[in-house]
Structure formats: structure tokens, C-alpha cells
Amino acid sequence: MNQELAELAASGATALVSAMGTDLWNEARRLMSGVIARAHGSRRRELSAALERGSTATRGAVDAAAVDFWTEALFQLLDRNPALAQDVIALATLRTEQRPDVVVQVNSATGSGEVFAVQHGDQHFASGLRSRDREERP
């Protein structure tokens, strides 16, 4: 049962953090506020304040530290009150029901490599040698 709660907590946390800075944020915050409302005392105040702070990640980016924080928080809440599972499931499925086009893109280059990346739209390339290429060739 703990493994299932851990997986549900991770899914809910990922959905919550993924919604930050997007059109889904208001709905995600509403759902998470409902879960937090069933917490007790200082934990409720701490989580409410964290929810209002949101994340420093840019739109469409996922802040790994925020996902870790919310995963642990949700796991603790679910462990104390398994009846919260339905509310967390609603949060976890928010992104798949209303935003099936969420894509994770990872780009990297080493040495003198370059990355040309586009998430939405077209990317056009011009033909011919770039000035840097001419300088590097013998």
C-alpha cells in the first residue's frame, strides 16, 4: 500500500508543479487547496504558504526541487489520511485530461556543439557555410 501511495503522491506532485505558470494552475491550486484543507495545524499553514509561493521554474519547465517537496508532502498527507486518494487522483489526472500535449524536452550539447530546439512551431535552416565554419576550415 505504501508503494501505491508513493506513486500517487509523485503523480499528484508532478501534475501540480507542471501546472504552475500554465492555464491549468488555477484548477490545480484549487484541487491542492482542498487536499491541504484536510491537513492539521501548522502543516496546513506551511503547505498553504508553499502553494501560494508556487515555483520559480519558467512556464513549461518542471522544478525538480518543487516536485520533491510536494511528493513528500502528499505522501505524508496520504499516509495519515488514505481517504485523500480520490482528491489526489483528480489532481494527478488533471494534466492528462485537459492537457494531453505536455511534452518534456531535454537538450544538451558539449564541447563546441550547438542545440537548435523548437517546442511548438517550425524551425527553418539556411543553406551554405556559416562564417564560423569558414574560419575553422583550413
Side-chain angles (χ1 to χ4, degrees), residues 34-95:
V35 172
I36 292 172
R38 295 170 67 184
H40 298 288
S42 64
R43 188 68 172 152
R44 180 186 306 166
R45 287 187 296 277
E46 174 193 353
L47 294 176
S48 293
L51 187 62
E52 291 307 312
R53 277 193 307 272
S55 172
T56 58
T58 59
R59 181 183 177 102
V62 177
D63 182 345
V67 172
D68 291 344
F69 172 83
W70 286 111
T71 297
E72 182 62 28
L74 283 171
F75 179 76
Q76 290 174 3
L77 292 170
L78 286 165
D79 193 43
R80 289 185 184 117
N81 185 358
L84 290 172
Q86 291 302 314
D87 295 334
V88 178
I89 289 170
L91 176 64
T93 59
L94 180 65
R95 69 176 185 269

